[in-house]
Amino acid sequence: MRPGEVCRLRWDQVDMERGAIVLTDHKTAKRTSAARIVILPPAALKLLTDRERASVYVFTNRSGRPYTRDGLTSTLRRYGVTPNQL
């Protein structure tokens, strides 16, 4: 996923049963008219399973707003996930 997509990721886009993220609004949506499905690797699935659902967004800062790229990178490092694993 693109970093901006990860920062704005919402819980309603996460399908834990399928182990995937379903993006209906993405860069090529107008051209393809299809949802983009991103299969989650085990490290990313664990990260999402461990996250508290305190907001509509998956990754939020202390104010409850979506993370910036730097905030997201810091969180991923704490979980031992590198950006190429997402």
Side-chain angles (χ1 to χ4, degrees), residues 74-85:
S74 175
T75 298
L76 294 175
R77 274 195 210 122
R78 273 185 264 139
Y79 278 88
V81 177
T82 60
N84 65 348
Q85 289 177 302

Side-chain angles (χ1 to χ4, degrees), residues 3-76:
E5 291 172 331
V6 176
C7 289
R8 292 184 310 276
L9 183 63
R10 297 182 323 266
W11 283 112
D12 64 343
Q13 296 172 307
V14 179
D15 186 342
M16 297 299 270
E17 290 179 17
R18 290 172 50 190
I21 294 171
V22 181
L23 300 172
T24 54
D25 183 27
H26 55 88
K27 186 176 180 178
T28 60
K30 290 178 185 172
R31 186 169 37 104
T32 63
S33 299
R36 189 164 143 230
I37 298 174
V38 180
I39 303 301
L40 295 167
L45 191 56
K46 178 176 179 1
L47 184 146
L48 293 175
T49 302
D50 292 349
R51 294 287 301 168
E52 180 181 336
R53 294 183 183 217
S55 170
V56 5
Y57 294 102
V58 175
F59 300 106
T60 57
N61 60 23
R62 291 179 195 149
S63 332
R65 290 186 295 241
Y67 271 142
T68 61
R69 286 183 182 196
D70 291 339
L72 179 65
T73 300
S74 175
T75 298
L76 294 175

